[in-house]
Amino acid sequence: MIQLFNVSKTYEGEVKVEALRDINLHIKRGEFVFLVGPSGAGKSTLTRLMIREELPSKGQILVDNRSLLRMKEREVPYFRRKIGFIFQDFRLLMERTVYENVAFAMEAIEAPSSEVRERVPAVLELVGLKDKLSAYPHQLSGGQQQRVCIARAIVNNPLLIIADEPTGNLDPDTSWEIMNLLLAINKRGTTIVTATHDKEMVDRIKRRVIALQNGRIVRDEERGGYQA
Ligand code: ADP
Ligand code: ADP
């Protein structure tokens, strides 16, 4: 699903920052992967490379067997349709209802309106929000808002979900609900890569853990914990 070959990323500015150094990585279809490491280790940079928000300074990246370096700019929106994104700060449209927020993702890929009307309520039911279709984001708790984001991320049946600290703003119980939802989505076959600082979560779930430090992979374990 995702392959990185000798990938480095240097941010060129007044001071150069080597955010990633010589990363080699293979994430297979259907895997659930935690990215861990201290702040500044390179987790966000790695997720931004995977969705082609940034290009590497060196090396090759393949996602779904496509080279992100060879991809033309005009192909990028089509590529991104295969990926769902979930962010720590939700990034919902505050002036739109729950239904409209999710429908918007389908309309962006020009899905037929009959499909939108069928699929949006179904996906919102799947994430436990079927009573909130007409609510606005500010009327929802943090956990409910993150469920809307998950609904938006999965509504177009992505092959891959990339999440950057999806539980970073949530209390422990709500974090569990959200992570269980991601595990259930993974069970249906979607590959999930999630950066997190949540030690307890990583230790209990026991999935693949890729640990970064100073831009390098320092540990990659099949059933890992937050720390070595
Ligand atoms: P993490 O997500 O693990 O906290 P990041 O990938 O955000 O790590 O950052 C890795 C390093 O790259 C840090 O030193 C950070 O300050 C730097 N960095 C991240 N994004 C940029 C950017 N757009 N421009 C310059 N430096 C950046
Ligand atoms: P997070 O790791 O929670 O995603 P960051 O603080 O790493 O957030 O980055 C937030 C935004 O700021 C990103 O868009 C990143 O590109 C940018 N950024 C991070 N570090 C730097 C930096 N040193 N210089 C410029 N931009 C940065």
Side-chain angles (χ1 to χ4, degrees):
M1 189 76 234
I2 305 174
Q3 285 169 286
L4 279 80
F5 301 97
N6 304 106
V7 166
S8 297
K9 177 67 183 178
T10 303
Y11 291 106
E12 308 281 352
E14 265 170 56
V15 254
K16 280 192 188 179
V17 181
E18 285 187 79
L20 291 174
R21 307 164 200 242
D22 201 28
I23 300 286
N24 286 286
L25 184 57
H26 185 184
I27 294 173
K28 296 195 192 73
R29 190 169 288 245
E31 276 197 274
F32 187 106
V33 180
F34 284 118
L35 295 178
V36 305
S39 195
K43 305 181 294 297
S44 290
T45 300
L46 185 54
T47 59
R48 290 201 292 268
L49 289 174
M50 289 172 178
I51 65 178
R52 206 185 179 278
E53 204 176 297
E54 301 270 4
L55 283 170
S57 313
K58 277 194 205 129
Q60 266 293 341
I61 303 179
L62 303 183
V63 176
D64 196 27
N65 290 319
R66 297 217 41 199
S67 163
L68 300 195
L69 277 109
R70 290 209 201 112
M71 189 177 288
K72 300 190 174 71
E73 279 304 324
R74 64 180 160 77
E75 296 173 313
V76 172
Y78 296 93
F79 162 70
R80 295 226 178 100
R81 289 176 181 188
K82 289 188 272 189
I83 308 175
F85 311 110
I86 299 171
F87 307 97
Q88 178 175 1
D89 56 0
F90 314 141
R91 303 192 196 179
L92 293 169
L93 304 167
M94 299 309 277
E95 308 302 320
R96 310 272 185 119
T97 65
V98 166
Y99 180 97
E100 288 164 350
N101 264 279
V102 179
F104 190 76
M106 286 189 83
E107 284 152 8
I109 68 159
E110 287 157 17
S113 54
S114 59
E115 221 171 278
V116 176
R117 283 194 300 272
E118 200 174 309
R119 188 150 169 80
V120 173
V123 169
L124 283 166
E125 178 165 8
L126 183 75
V127 301
L129 287 177
K130 72 166 189 246
D131 303 330
K132 300 286 179 193
L133 302 194
S134 325
Y136 288 86
H138 74 268
Q139 298 172 309
L140 303 177
S141 68
Q144 289 170 329
Q145 291 190 47
Q146 193 58 297
R147 286 167 186 273
V148 179
C149 299
I150 292 174
R152 181 181 59 185
I154 63 176
V155 74
N156 294 324
N157 271 322
L159 297 167
L160 171 65
I161 289 183
I162 305 274
D164 197 356
E165 301 205 32
T167 61
N169 285 330
L170 305 175
D171 63 65
D173 285 348
T174 310
S175 296
W176 270 105
E177 289 168 21
I178 293 299
M179 203 50 86
N180 278 325
L181 197 49
L182 291 178
L183 285 166
I185 292 163
N186 173 247
K187 250 190 179 158
R188 295 158 75 118
T190 309
T191 309
I192 299 189
V193 178
T194 176
T196 187
H197 279 121
D198 196 328
K199 176 180 185 309
E200 228 194 21
M201 189 88 70
V202 175
D203 287 345
R204 269 174 73 176
I205 291 177
K206 294 194 181 64
R207 294 300 188 98
R208 182 170 175 190
V209 172
I210 297 172
L212 291 169
Q213 208 164 355
N214 284 323
R216 293 186 195 279
I217 294 179
V218 292
R219 186 160 58 91
D220 184 349
E221 287 179 329
E222 227 25 80
R223 290 168 61 77
Y226 189 81
Q227 273 148 344

